[in-house]
Amino acid sequence: MLGWFSLMLDSSHWSARQRAEARVQFALYKSALRPLIRDADLYHVTRRPDGVHWDGIEYHSARLGRGVLYAFRGSAPDQPTHRFRLLGLTPGSRYALRFQDGAAANRVLSSEALMQQGVAVTLKWPFSSELVFFERISSRDTRPELTTPTPSM
């Protein structure tokens, strides 16, 4: 297993497709994640990771009014969906949610719904993940578009 892992770290062995995907992921980190993480509070929104059950980490900046949920599915084959209750949101506010990899349709939910019922993430495969960006919006706005940049190559 260590041989495979060391090959993944050595990008000289990557295919053109892997290099292209890496460029997209680096652009996402630089444009959307790094600026947010720098100013955000960190919340662990699940139990400690064990590799079997779901794991969730939330970064949220009250000052910026936005955040991101890192959702990781563990190895359990009977747990395709998990609800993550977000923390630190502004009560009485509405938030637009954008699922980076399309695990669900983008939507608008209240802070109360996100903090009490949570946001459901469904992933078909064990050991897969999703980023859920969320941003506070005007109470009259119902569109789930975000100002968080979406990277391009």
Side-chain angles (χ1 to χ4, degrees):
M1 189 69 159
L2 185 56
W4 175 84
F5 184 71
S6 63
L7 280 177
M8 290 307 296
L9 293 178
D10 181 359
S11 61
S12 67
H13 291 71
W14 289 1
S15 68
R17 184 172 159 249
Q18 288 171 312
R19 289 176 193 276
E21 180 60 27
R23 280 193 294 278
V24 169
Q25 296 307 318
F26 290 141
L28 174 67
Y29 175 77
K30 288 178 181 178
S31 66
L33 295 170
R34 182 171 52 193
L36 175 62
I37 291 169
R38 211 179 288 151
D39 187 52
D41 292 322
L42 168 66
Y43 300 100
H44 293 273
V45 292
T46 57
R47 293 183 177 161
R48 302 290 289 166
D50 62 6
V52 175
H53 301 96
W54 284 80
D55 183 25
I57 299 170
E58 173 192 347
Y59 287 95
H60 176 254
S61 169
R63 184 181 70 77
L64 297 174
R66 58 188 165 109
V68 64
L69 167 68
Y70 286 72
F72 304 96
R73 182 176 172 189
S75 65
D78 62 338
Q79 297 178 10
T81 302
H82 186 80
R83 282 196 169 275
F84 295 91
R85 291 189 306 175
L86 301 184
L87 301 170
L89 305 182
T90 303
S93 295
R94 296 172 51 80
Y95 287 82
L97 280 73
R98 180 174 54 83
F99 292 77
Q100 180 66 27
D101 293 325
N106 297 340
R107 64 188 67 143
V108 174
L109 294 172
S110 70
S111 57
E112 288 74 20
L114 290 167
M115 292 189 293
Q116 294 168 15
Q117 287 92 41
V119 57
V121 177
T122 300
L123 296 172
K124 185 175 181 179
W125 305 109
F127 300 117
S128 54
S129 63
E130 175 69 278
L131 290 175
V132 183
F133 289 93
F134 55 94
E135 182 174 10
R136 190 174 59 235
I137 60 172
S138 161
S139 61
R140 290 170 298 229
D141 197 351
T142 59
R143 298 168 297 145
E145 292 91 23
L146 301 177
T147 60
T148 303
T150 300
S152 58
M153 289 188 28

